[in-house]
Coordinates of all heavy atoms in Angstrom, one line a residue:
M1 N 18.3 -2.3 -7.0 CA 18.7 -1.9 -5.7 C 17.5 -1.9 -4.8 O 16.5 -1.2 -5.1 CB 19.4 -0.5 -5.8 CG 19.9 0.0 -4.5 SD 20.8 1.6 -4.7 CE 20.0 2.6 -3.6
S2 N 17.6 -2.6 -3.7 CA 16.5 -2.6 -2.8 C 16.5 -1.4 -1.9 O 17.4 -0.6 -1.9 CB 16.6 -3.9 -1.9 OG 17.7 -3.8 -1.1
W3 N 15.4 -1.2 -1.1 CA 15.2 0.0 -0.3 C 14.6 -0.5 1.0 O 13.6 -1.3 0.9 CB 14.4 0.9 -1.1 CG 14.3 2.3 -0.5 CD1 15.2 3.3 -0.8 CD2 13.4 2.9 0.3 NE1 14.8 4.5 -0.2 CE2 13.7 4.2 0.6 CE3 12.2 2.4 1.0 CZ2 13.0 5.1 1.4 CZ3 11.5 3.2 1.8 CH2 11.9 4.6 2.0
N4 N 15.1 -0.1 2.1 CA 14.6 -0.6 3.4 C 14.1 0.5 4.3 O 14.6 1.6 4.2 CB 15.7 -1.3 4.2 CG 16.3 -2.5 3.3 OD1 15.6 -3.2 2.7 ND2 17.6 -2.6 3.4
T5 N 13.1 0.2 5.0 CA 12.6 1.1 6.0 C 12.1 0.3 7.2 O 12.1 -1.0 7.2 CB 11.4 2.0 5.5 OG1 11.1 2.9 6.4 CG2 10.2 1.1 5.1
A6 N 11.8 0.9 8.3 CA 11.4 0.2 9.5 C 10.6 1.2 10.4 O 10.6 2.4 10.2 CB 12.6 -0.2 10.3
C7 N 9.9 0.6 11.3 CA 9.2 1.4 12.3 C 10.2 2.1 13.2 O 11.4 1.8 13.1 CB 8.2 0.5 13.1 SG 9.1 -0.7 14.1
H8 N 9.7 2.9 14.2 CA 10.7 3.6 15.1 C 11.5 2.7 15.9 O 12.7 2.9 16.1 CB 9.9 4.6 16.0 CG 10.8 5.5 16.7 ND1 11.2 5.2 18.0 CD2 11.3 6.7 16.4 CE1 12.0 6.2 18.4 NE2 12.1 7.1 17.4
C9 N 10.9 1.6 16.5 CA 11.7 0.8 17.4 C 12.5 -0.3 16.6 O 13.3 -1.0 17.2 CB 10.8 0.1 18.4 SG 9.7 -1.2 17.8
G10 N 12.2 -0.5 15.4 CA 12.9 -1.5 14.6 C 12.3 -2.9 14.6 O 12.8 -3.8 14.0
A11 N 11.2 -3.1 15.3 CA 10.6 -4.4 15.4 C 9.9 -4.8 14.1 O 9.8 -6.0 13.8 CB 9.5 -4.4 16.5
V12 N 9.5 -3.9 13.3 CA 8.9 -4.2 12.0 C 9.8 -3.6 10.9 O 10.1 -2.4 10.9 CB 7.5 -3.6 11.8 CG1 6.9 -3.9 10.4 CG2 6.6 -4.1 12.9
S13 N 10.3 -4.4 10.0 CA 11.1 -3.9 8.9 C 10.4 -4.2 7.6 O 9.6 -5.2 7.4 CB 12.5 -4.6 8.9 OG 12.3 -6.0 8.7
V14 N 10.6 -3.3 6.6 CA 10.0 -3.4 5.3 C 11.1 -3.2 4.3 O 11.9 -2.3 4.3 CB 8.9 -2.2 5.1 CG1 8.3 -2.3 3.8 CG2 7.9 -2.3 6.3
R15 N 11.2 -4.2 3.4 CA 12.2 -4.2 2.3 C 11.4 -4.1 1.0 O 10.6 -4.9 0.7 CB 13.0 -5.5 2.4 CG 14.0 -5.5 1.2 CD 14.8 -6.9 1.2 NE 15.6 -7.0 2.4 CZ 16.9 -6.7 2.5 NH1 17.5 -6.2 1.5 NH2 17.5 -6.8 3.6
L16 N 11.8 -3.1 0.2 CA 11.2 -2.9 -1.1 C 12.2 -3.4 -2.1 O 13.4 -3.3 -2.0 CB 10.9 -1.4 -1.4 CG 10.1 -0.7 -0.3 CD1 9.9 0.7 -0.7 CD2 8.7 -1.4 -0.1
A17 N 11.7 -4.0 -3.2 CA 12.6 -4.6 -4.2 C 13.3 -3.5 -5.0 O 14.4 -3.7 -5.5 CB 11.7 -5.4 -5.2
R18 N 12.8 -2.3 -4.9 CA 13.4 -1.1 -5.6 C 13.0 0.2 -4.8 O 12.0 0.2 -4.0 CB 12.9 -1.0 -7.0 CG 11.4 -1.0 -7.2 CD 11.0 -1.0 -8.6 NE 9.6 -1.5 -8.7 CZ 8.6 -0.8 -8.3 NH1 8.7 0.4 -7.7 NH2 7.3 -1.3 -8.4
A19 N 13.7 1.2 -5.0 CA 13.4 2.5 -4.4 C 12.1 3.0 -4.9 O 11.7 2.8 -6.1 CB 14.5 3.5 -4.7
P20 N 11.3 3.7 -4.1 CA 10.0 4.3 -4.5 C 10.2 5.3 -5.7 O 11.2 6.1 -5.6 CB 9.5 5.0 -3.3 CG 10.2 4.4 -2.1 CD 11.5 4.0 -2.7
E21 N 9.4 5.2 -6.7 CA 9.5 6.1 -7.8 C 8.6 7.3 -7.6 O 8.9 8.4 -8.1 CB 9.1 5.4 -9.1 CG 10.1 4.3 -9.4 CD 9.6 3.5 -10.6 OE1 8.5 3.8 -11.2 OE2 10.3 2.5 -11.0
K22 N 7.5 7.2 -6.8 CA 6.6 8.3 -6.6 C 6.2 8.2 -5.1 O 6.2 7.2 -4.5 CB 5.3 8.1 -7.5 CG 5.6 8.3 -8.9 CD 4.3 8.2 -9.7 CE 4.7 8.3 -11.2 NZ 3.5 8.1 -12.0
I23 N 5.8 9.4 -4.6 CA 5.3 9.5 -3.2 C 3.9 10.0 -3.3 O 3.7 11.0 -4.0 CB 6.2 10.4 -2.4 CG1 7.6 9.8 -2.3 CG2 5.6 10.6 -1.0 CD1 8.6 10.7 -1.6
A24 N 3.0 9.4 -2.6 CA 1.6 9.8 -2.7 C 1.1 10.3 -1.3 O 1.5 9.8 -0.3 CB 0.7 8.6 -3.1
E25 N 0.4 11.4 -1.4 CA -0.3 11.9 -0.2 C -1.8 11.7 -0.3 O -2.4 12.4 -1.1 CB 0.0 13.4 0.0 CG -0.5 14.0 1.2 CD -0.2 15.5 1.3 OE1 0.1 16.2 0.3 OE2 -0.2 16.0 2.4
C26 N -2.3 10.7 0.4 CA -3.7 10.4 0.3 C -4.4 11.5 1.1 O -4.0 11.9 2.2 CB -4.0 9.0 0.9 SG -5.7 8.6 1.0
N27 N -5.6 11.9 0.6 CA -6.3 12.9 1.3 C -7.5 12.4 2.0 O -8.4 13.2 2.4 CB -6.8 14.0 0.3 CG -7.7 13.5 -0.8 OD1 -8.1 12.3 -0.8 ND2 -8.1 14.4 -1.7
C28 N -7.6 11.1 2.3 CA -8.7 10.6 3.1 C -8.4 11.0 4.5 O -7.3 11.3 4.9 CB -8.8 9.1 2.9 SG -7.8 8.1 4.0
S29 N -9.5 11.0 5.3 CA -9.3 11.5 6.7 C -8.4 10.6 7.6 O -7.7 11.1 8.4 CB -10.7 11.6 7.4 OG -11.4 10.3 7.4
L30 N -8.4 9.3 7.3 CA -7.5 8.4 8.0 C -6.1 8.7 7.8 O -5.3 8.9 8.7 CB -7.9 6.9 7.7 CG -7.1 5.9 8.5 CD1 -7.2 6.0 10.0 CD2 -7.5 4.5 8.0
C31 N -5.7 8.7 6.5 CA -4.3 9.0 6.2 C -3.9 10.4 6.6 O -2.8 10.6 7.1 CB -4.0 8.8 4.7 SG -4.1 7.1 4.1
F32 N -4.8 11.3 6.4 CA -4.5 12.7 6.8 C -4.3 12.8 8.3 O -3.3 13.5 8.8 CB -5.7 13.6 6.5 CG -5.5 15.1 6.8 CD1 -4.7 15.8 5.9 CD2 -6.0 15.6 7.9 CE1 -4.5 17.2 6.2 CE2 -5.8 17.0 8.2 CZ -5.0 17.8 7.4
S33 N -5.0 12.0 9.1 CA -4.8 12.0 10.6 C -3.5 11.4 11.0 O -3.0 11.7 12.1 CB -6.0 11.3 11.3 OG -5.9 9.9 11.1
H34 N -2.9 10.6 10.1 CA -1.6 10.0 10.4 C -0.5 10.8 9.8 O 0.7 10.4 10.0 CB -1.6 8.5 9.9 CG -2.3 7.6 10.7 ND1 -1.7 6.7 11.6 CD2 -3.7 7.3 10.8 CE1 -2.6 6.0 12.2 NE2 -3.8 6.3 11.8
S35 N -0.8 11.8 9.0 CA 0.2 12.6 8.4 C 1.3 11.7 7.7 O 2.5 11.9 7.8 CB 0.9 13.5 9.4 OG 0.0 14.3 10.0
I36 N 0.8 10.8 6.9 CA 1.7 9.8 6.3 C 1.8 9.9 4.8 O 0.8 10.2 4.2 CB 1.3 8.4 6.8 CG1 2.5 7.4 6.5 CG2 0.0 7.9 6.2 CD1 2.3 6.1 7.2
L37 N 2.9 9.7 4.2 CA 3.1 9.6 2.8 C 3.3 8.2 2.4 O 3.9 7.4 3.2 CB 4.3 10.4 2.4 CG 4.3 11.9 2.8 CD1 5.6 12.6 2.4 CD2 3.1 12.6 2.1
W38 N 2.8 7.8 1.2 CA 2.8 6.4 0.8 C 3.6 6.2 -0.5 O 3.6 7.1 -1.4 CB 1.4 5.9 0.5 CG 0.5 6.0 1.6 CD1 -0.6 6.9 1.8 CD2 0.4 5.1 2.8 NE1 -1.2 6.6 3.0 CE2 -0.6 5.6 3.6 CE3 1.2 4.1 3.2 CZ2 -1.0 5.0 4.8 CZ3 0.9 3.5 4.4 CH2 -0.2 3.9 5.2
S39 N 4.2 5.1 -0.6 CA 4.7 4.6 -1.9 C 3.8 3.4 -2.2 O 3.6 2.5 -1.4 CB 6.1 4.1 -1.8 OG 6.5 3.5 -3.0
Y40 N 3.1 3.5 -3.4 CA 2.2 2.4 -3.8 C 3.1 1.4 -4.6 O 3.7 1.7 -5.5 CB 1.1 2.9 -4.6 CG 0.2 3.9 -3.9 CD1 -0.3 5.0 -4.5 CD2 -0.2 3.7 -2.6 CE1 -1.1 5.9 -3.8 CE2 -1.0 4.6 -1.9 CZ -1.5 5.7 -2.5 OH -2.3 6.5 -1.9
M41 N 3.0 0.1 -4.1 CA 3.8 -0.9 -4.7 C 3.0 -2.2 -4.9 O 1.9 -2.4 -4.3 CB 5.0 -1.3 -3.7 CG 5.8 -0.2 -3.2 SD 7.0 0.4 -4.3 CE 8.2 -1.0 -4.3
S42 N 3.5 -3.1 -5.7 CA 2.9 -4.5 -5.8 C 3.4 -5.2 -4.5 O 4.5 -5.1 -4.1 CB 3.4 -5.2 -7.0 OG 3.1 -6.6 -6.9
P43 N 2.5 -6.0 -3.9 CA 2.9 -6.8 -2.7 C 4.0 -7.7 -3.1 O 4.7 -8.1 -2.2 CB 1.6 -7.5 -2.3 CG 0.5 -6.6 -2.8 CD 1.0 -6.0 -4.1
R44 N 4.1 -8.1 -4.3 CA 5.2 -9.0 -4.7 C 6.6 -8.3 -4.6 O 7.6 -9.0 -4.5 CB 5.0 -9.4 -6.2 CG 3.8 -10.3 -6.4 CD 3.5 -10.5 -7.8 NE 3.0 -9.3 -8.4 CZ 2.9 -9.0 -9.7 NH1 3.3 -9.8 -10.5 NH2 2.5 -7.8 -10.0
D45 N 6.6 -7.0 -4.5 CA 7.9 -6.3 -4.4 C 8.2 -5.8 -3.0 O 9.1 -5.0 -2.8 CB 7.9 -5.1 -5.3 CG 7.8 -5.5 -6.8 OD1 8.3 -6.5 -7.1 OD2 7.3 -4.7 -7.6
V46 N 7.4 -6.3 -2.0 CA 7.6 -5.9 -0.6 C 7.7 -7.1 0.3 O 6.9 -8.0 0.2 CB 6.3 -5.0 -0.2 CG1 6.5 -4.5 1.2 CG2 6.2 -3.8 -1.2
A47 N 8.6 -7.0 1.2 CA 8.8 -8.1 2.2 C 8.7 -7.4 3.6 O 9.4 -6.4 3.8 CB 10.1 -8.8 2.1
I48 N 7.8 -7.9 4.4 CA 7.6 -7.3 5.7 C 7.9 -8.3 6.8 O 7.5 -9.5 6.7 CB 6.2 -6.8 5.9 CG1 5.9 -5.7 4.9 CG2 5.9 -6.3 7.3 CD1 4.5 -5.3 4.6
E49 N 8.7 -7.9 7.8 CA 9.0 -8.8 8.9 C 8.7 -8.1 10.2 O 8.9 -6.9 10.3 CB 10.5 -9.2 8.9 CG 10.9 -10.1 7.8 CD 12.4 -10.5 7.9 OE1 13.0 -10.3 8.9 OE2 12.9 -10.9 6.8
G50 N 8.1 -8.8 11.1 CA 7.7 -8.3 12.4 C 6.2 -8.3 12.6 O 5.5 -8.4 11.7
E51 N 5.9 -8.2 13.9 CA 4.4 -8.2 14.3 C 3.7 -6.9 14.0 O 4.2 -5.9 14.5 CB 4.3 -8.7 15.7 CG 2.9 -8.8 16.2 CD 2.7 -9.1 17.7 OE1 3.8 -9.3 18.3 OE2 1.6 -9.1 18.1
T52 N 2.6 -6.9 13.4 CA 1.8 -5.7 13.2 C 0.4 -6.0 13.7 O 0.0 -7.1 13.8 CB 1.8 -5.2 11.7 OG1 1.1 -6.2 11.0 CG2 3.1 -4.9 11.2
R53 N -0.2 -4.9 14.0 CA -1.7 -4.9 14.3 C -2.3 -4.1 13.2 O -1.7 -3.3 12.6 CB -1.9 -4.3 15.7 CG -1.3 -5.1 16.8 CD -1.7 -4.7 18.2 NE -1.1 -5.6 19.1 CZ -0.8 -5.3 20.3 NH1 -1.1 -4.1 20.8 NH2 -0.3 -6.2 21.1
T54 N -3.6 -4.3 13.1 CA -4.3 -3.6 12.0 C -5.5 -2.8 12.5 O -6.1 -3.1 13.6 CB -4.8 -4.6 10.9 OG1 -5.7 -5.5 11.5 CG2 -3.6 -5.4 10.3
Y55 N -5.9 -1.9 11.7 CA -7.1 -1.1 11.9 C -7.7 -0.8 10.5 O -6.9 -0.6 9.5 CB -6.7 0.3 12.6 CG -7.9 1.2 12.6 CD1 -8.8 1.1 13.6 CD2 -8.0 2.2 11.7 CE1 -9.9 2.0 13.7 CE2 -9.1 3.1 11.7 CZ -10.1 3.0 12.7 OH -11.1 3.8 12.8
N56 N -9.0 -0.9 10.4 CA -9.6 -0.4 9.2 C -10.8 0.6 9.6 O -11.2 0.5 10.8 CB -10.0 -1.4 8.2 CG -11.0 -2.5 8.8 OD1 -11.9 -2.1 9.5 ND2 -10.8 -3.7 8.5
R57 N -11.2 1.4 8.7 CA -12.1 2.5 9.0 C -13.4 2.0 9.6 O -14.1 1.2 9.0 CB -12.3 3.3 7.8 CG -11.1 3.9 7.2 CD -11.4 4.8 6.0 NE -12.3 5.8 6.5 CZ -12.3 7.1 6.0 NH1 -11.4 7.4 5.0 NH2 -13.1 8.0 6.4
A58 N -13.7 2.5 10.8 CA -14.9 2.1 11.5 C -16.1 2.9 10.9 O -17.2 2.5 11.1 CB -14.8 2.4 13.0
D59 N -15.8 4.0 10.2 CA -16.8 4.8 9.6 C -17.2 4.3 8.2 O -18.0 5.0 7.5 CB -16.4 6.3 9.6 CG -15.2 6.5 8.7 OD1 -14.4 5.6 8.5 OD2 -15.0 7.7 8.3
R60 N -16.7 3.3 7.7 CA -17.0 2.7 6.4 C -17.4 1.3 6.5 O -16.8 0.5 7.2 CB -15.8 2.8 5.5 CG -15.3 4.2 5.2 CD -16.0 4.8 4.0 NE -15.7 6.2 3.8 CZ -14.7 6.6 3.1 NH1 -13.9 5.8 2.5 NH2 -14.5 7.9 3.0
E61 N -18.5 1.0 5.7 CA -18.9 -0.4 5.7 C -17.9 -1.1 4.6 O -17.8 -0.6 3.5 CB -20.3 -0.5 5.2 CG -20.8 -1.9 5.2 CD -22.3 -2.0 4.9 OE1 -23.1 -1.1 5.2 OE2 -22.7 -3.0 4.3
N62 N -17.3 -2.2 5.0 CA -16.4 -2.9 4.1 C -15.3 -2.0 3.5 O -15.3 -1.8 2.3 CB -17.3 -3.6 3.0 CG -16.7 -4.8 2.5 OD1 -15.6 -5.3 3.0 ND2 -17.3 -5.4 1.5
P63 N -14.5 -1.5 4.4 CA -13.4 -0.5 3.9 C -12.4 -1.2 3.0 O -12.3 -2.4 2.8 CB -12.7 -0.1 5.2 CG -13.0 -1.1 6.2 CD -14.3 -1.8 5.8
N64 N -11.7 -0.3 2.3 CA -10.7 -0.8 1.2 C -9.4 -1.3 1.7 O -8.8 -2.1 1.0 CB -10.4 0.4 0.3 CG -11.5 0.8 -0.6 OD1 -12.4 0.0 -0.9 ND2 -11.6 2.1 -0.9
S65 N -9.0 -0.9 2.9 CA -7.6 -1.3 3.3 C -7.6 -1.5 4.8 O -8.3 -1.0 5.6 CB -6.6 -0.2 2.9 OG -6.9 1.0 3.5
D66 N -6.6 -2.3 5.2 CA -6.2 -2.5 6.5 C -4.9 -1.7 6.7 O -3.9 -1.9 6.0 CB -5.9 -4.0 6.8 CG -7.2 -4.8 6.9 OD1 -8.2 -4.4 7.4 OD2 -7.1 -6.0 6.4
L67 N -4.9 -0.8 7.7 CA -3.7 -0.1 8.1 C -2.9 -0.9 9.1 O -3.5 -1.4 10.1 CB -4.1 1.2 8.7 CG -3.3 2.5 8.5 CD1 -3.1 2.7 7.0 CD2 -3.9 3.7 9.1
H68 N -1.6 -1.1 8.9 CA -0.8 -1.9 9.8 C 0.1 -1.0 10.6 O 0.7 -0.1 10.1 CB 0.1 -2.9 8.9 CG -0.7 -3.9 8.2 ND1 -0.7 -5.2 8.6 CD2 -1.6 -3.8 7.1 CE1 -1.5 -5.9 7.8 NE2 -2.0 -5.1 6.9
F69 N 0.2 -1.4 11.9 CA 1.0 -0.6 12.8 C 2.0 -1.6 13.5 O 1.7 -2.8 13.7 CB 0.2 0.0 14.0 CG -1.0 0.7 13.5 CD1 -2.2 0.1 13.3 CD2 -0.9 2.1 13.3 CE1 -3.3 0.9 12.8 CE2 -1.9 2.8 12.9 CZ -3.2 2.2 12.6
C70 N 3.1 -1.1 13.9 CA 4.0 -1.9 14.7 C 3.3 -2.2 16.1 O 2.8 -1.3 16.7 CB 5.3 -1.1 15.0 SG 6.4 -1.9 16.2
A71 N 3.4 -3.5 16.5 CA 2.7 -3.9 17.7 C 3.4 -3.3 19.0 O 2.9 -3.2 20.0 CB 2.6 -5.4 17.8
T72 N 4.7 -2.9 18.8 CA 5.4 -2.3 19.9 C 5.4 -0.8 20.0 O 5.0 -0.2 21.0 CB 6.9 -2.8 19.8 OG1 6.9 -4.2 19.8 CG2 7.7 -2.3 21.0
C73 N 5.8 -0.1 18.9 CA 5.9 1.3 19.0 C 4.7 2.1 18.3 O 4.6 3.3 18.5 CB 7.2 1.8 18.4 SG 7.3 1.7 16.6
G74 N 3.9 1.4 17.6 CA 2.7 2.0 17.0 C 2.8 2.7 15.7 O 1.9 3.3 15.2
C75 N 4.0 2.7 15.2 CA 4.3 3.4 13.9 C 3.5 2.7 12.8 O 3.5 1.5 12.7 CB 5.7 3.4 13.5 SG 6.7 4.6 14.4
T76 N 2.9 3.5 11.9 CA 2.2 3.0 10.8 C 3.2 2.5 9.8 O 4.1 3.3 9.4 CB 1.3 4.0 10.1 OG1 0.4 4.5 11.1 CG2 0.5 3.5 9.0
T77 N 3.2 1.3 9.3 CA 4.2 0.8 8.4 C 3.7 0.6 7.0 O 4.4 0.8 6.0 CB 4.7 -0.6 8.9 OG1 3.7 -1.5 9.1 CG2 5.5 -0.4 10.2
H78 N 2.4 0.2 6.8 CA 1.9 -0.1 5.5 C 0.4 -0.3 5.5 O -0.2 -0.4 6.6 CB 2.5 -1.3 4.9 CG 2.3 -2.6 5.6 ND1 2.9 -2.9 6.8 CD2 1.5 -3.7 5.3 CE1 2.5 -4.1 7.2 NE2 1.7 -4.6 6.3
W79 N -0.2 -0.3 4.4 CA -1.6 -0.8 4.3 C -1.7 -1.9 3.3 O -0.9 -2.0 2.4 CB -2.6 0.4 3.9 CG -2.4 1.1 2.6 CD1 -1.9 2.3 2.4 CD2 -2.9 0.6 1.3 NE1 -1.9 2.6 1.1 CE2 -2.5 1.6 0.4 CE3 -3.5 -0.5 0.9 CZ2 -2.8 1.5 -1.0 CZ3 -3.8 -0.6 -0.5 CH2 -3.5 0.4 -1.4
S80 N -2.7 -2.7 3.5 CA -3.0 -3.8 2.5 C -4.4 -3.8 2.1 O -5.3 -3.3 2.8 CB -2.6 -5.2 3.2 OG -3.3 -5.4 4.4
A81 N -4.7 -4.3 0.9 CA -6.0 -4.4 0.4 C -6.9 -5.4 1.2 O -6.4 -6.4 1.6 CB -6.0 -4.8 -1.1
T82 N -8.1 -5.0 1.4 CA -9.1 -5.9 2.1 C -9.8 -6.8 1.1 O -9.8 -6.5 -0.1 CB -10.1 -5.1 2.9 OG1 -10.9 -4.4 1.9 CG2 -9.5 -4.3 3.9
A83 N -10.5 -7.8 1.6 CA -11.3 -8.7 0.7 C -12.4 -7.8 0.0 O -12.7 -8.1 -1.1 CB -11.9 -9.8 1.5
G84 N -12.9 -6.8 0.7 CA -13.9 -5.9 0.2 C -13.4 -5.2 -1.0 O -14.1 -5.1 -2.1
L85 N -12.2 -4.7 -1.0 CA -11.6 -4.0 -2.1 C -11.4 -4.9 -3.3 O -11.7 -4.6 -4.4 CB -10.3 -3.3 -1.8 CG -9.6 -2.6 -2.9 CD1 -10.4 -1.4 -3.5 CD2 -8.2 -2.0 -2.5
N86 N -10.8 -6.1 -3.0 CA -10.6 -7.1 -4.0 C -12.0 -7.4 -4.7 O -12.0 -7.6 -6.0 CB -10.0 -8.4 -3.5 CG -8.5 -8.1 -3.1 OD1 -7.9 -7.2 -3.6 ND2 -8.1 -8.9 -2.1
E87 N -13.0 -7.6 -3.9 CA -14.3 -7.9 -4.5 C -14.8 -6.8 -5.4 O -15.3 -7.0 -6.5 CB -15.3 -8.2 -3.4 CG -16.7 -8.6 -3.8 CD -17.6 -8.9 -2.6 OE1 -17.1 -9.5 -1.6 OE2 -18.7 -8.4 -2.7
R88 N -14.7 -5.6 -4.9 CA -15.1 -4.4 -5.7 C -14.3 -4.3 -7.0 O -14.9 -3.8 -8.0 CB -15.1 -3.1 -4.9 CG -16.2 -2.9 -4.0 CD -16.2 -1.5 -3.3 NE -15.1 -1.4 -2.4 CZ -15.2 -1.9 -1.1 NH1 -16.2 -2.6 -0.7 NH2 -14.2 -1.7 -0.3
M89 N -13.1 -4.7 -7.0 CA -12.2 -4.5 -8.2 C -12.3 -5.7 -9.1 O -11.6 -5.8 -10.1 CB -10.8 -4.2 -7.7 CG -10.6 -3.0 -6.9 SD -11.2 -1.5 -7.8 CE -9.9 -1.3 -9.0
G90 N -13.0 -6.7 -8.7 CA -13.2 -7.9 -9.5 C -12.0 -8.9 -9.5 O -11.9 -9.7 -10.4
G91 N -11.2 -8.8 -8.5 CA -10.1 -9.8 -8.4 C -9.1 -9.2 -7.4 O -9.2 -8.1 -6.9
E92 N -8.0 -10.0 -7.2 CA -7.0 -9.6 -6.2 C -6.3 -8.3 -6.7 O -5.7 -8.3 -7.8 CB -6.1 -10.7 -5.9 CG -5.2 -10.4 -4.7 CD -4.4 -11.6 -4.2 OE1 -4.9 -12.7 -4.4 OE2 -3.3 -11.4 -3.7
V93 N -6.3 -7.3 -5.9 CA -5.7 -6.0 -6.2 C -4.2 -6.2 -6.0 O -3.7 -6.6 -4.9 CB -6.2 -4.9 -5.3 CG1 -5.5 -3.6 -5.6 CG2 -7.7 -4.7 -5.6
D94 N -3.4 -5.8 -7.0 CA -2.0 -5.9 -7.0 C -1.4 -4.6 -6.5 O -0.6 -4.0 -7.2 CB -1.4 -6.3 -8.4 CG 0.1 -6.6 -8.3 OD1 0.5 -7.1 -7.3 OD2 0.7 -6.3 -9.4
L95 N -1.8 -4.2 -5.3 CA -1.4 -2.9 -4.8 C -1.4 -2.9 -3.3 O -2.3 -3.4 -2.7 CB -2.3 -1.8 -5.3 CG -1.9 -0.4 -5.1 CD1 -0.7 0.0 -5.9 CD2 -3.1 0.6 -5.4
M96 N -0.4 -2.2 -2.7 CA -0.4 -1.9 -1.3 C 0.4 -0.6 -1.1 O 1.0 -0.1 -2.1 CB 0.3 -3.0 -0.5 CG 1.8 -3.2 -0.8 SD 2.6 -4.5 0.1 CE 2.5 -3.8 1.8
G97 N 0.3 -0.1 0.1 CA 1.0 1.2 0.4 C 2.0 1.0 1.4 O 1.7 0.3 2.4
V98 N 3.2 1.5 1.2 CA 4.3 1.4 2.2 C 4.5 2.8 2.8 O 4.7 3.8 2.0 CB 5.6 0.9 1.6 CG1 6.7 0.9 2.6 CG2 5.3 -0.6 1.1
G99 N 4.4 3.0 4.1 CA 4.6 4.3 4.7 C 6.0 4.8 4.6 O 6.9 4.0 4.9
L100 N 6.2 6.0 4.2 CA 7.5 6.6 4.0 C 7.9 7.5 5.2 O 8.9 8.1 5.1 CB 7.6 7.3 2.7 CG 7.4 6.4 1.5 CD1 7.5 7.2 0.2 CD2 8.4 5.2 1.5
C101 N 7.0 7.5 6.2 CA 7.4 8.3 7.4 C 8.3 7.6 8.3 O 8.9 8.2 9.2 CB 6.1 8.8 8.1 SG 5.1 9.9 7.2
A102 N 8.3 6.3 8.1 CA 9.2 5.5 9.0 C 10.6 5.7 8.7 O 11.0 6.2 7.6 CB 8.9 4.0 8.8
R103 N 11.5 5.4 9.6 CA 13.0 5.7 9.4 C 13.6 4.7 8.4 O 13.1 3.6 8.3 CB 13.7 5.7 10.7 CG 13.8 4.3 11.4 CD 14.6 4.4 12.7 NE 14.4 3.2 13.4 CZ 15.2 2.1 13.3 NH1 16.2 2.2 12.4 NH2 15.1 1.1 14.0
A104 N 14.6 5.1 7.7 CA 15.2 4.2 6.8 C 16.4 3.5 7.5 O 16.8 3.9 8.5 CB 15.8 4.9 5.6
Ligands
LIG201 ZN1 8.1 -0.5 16.2

């Protein structure tokens, strides 16, 4: 059974291959400032449609993830691994985070 979510305005939709099994509360300052909960998934199990903009931590050299926002309403929809994280992990990381604060 798939599971769908979207940003507030609906311009970005996220379809998961299955319902989230766990919910994670990251305690880094960036996630904390967004008050967002994550489902960590394989990118192979996630389909995203719609235009997003990205931000990564300006206070870190070569940060681990790009945070994606809806280009229209600004809701955080997901994060994706950066080349820096892949390099540190010795290969492509099979992990991304899908924001669960967005409406279903
Ligand atoms: Zn939106």
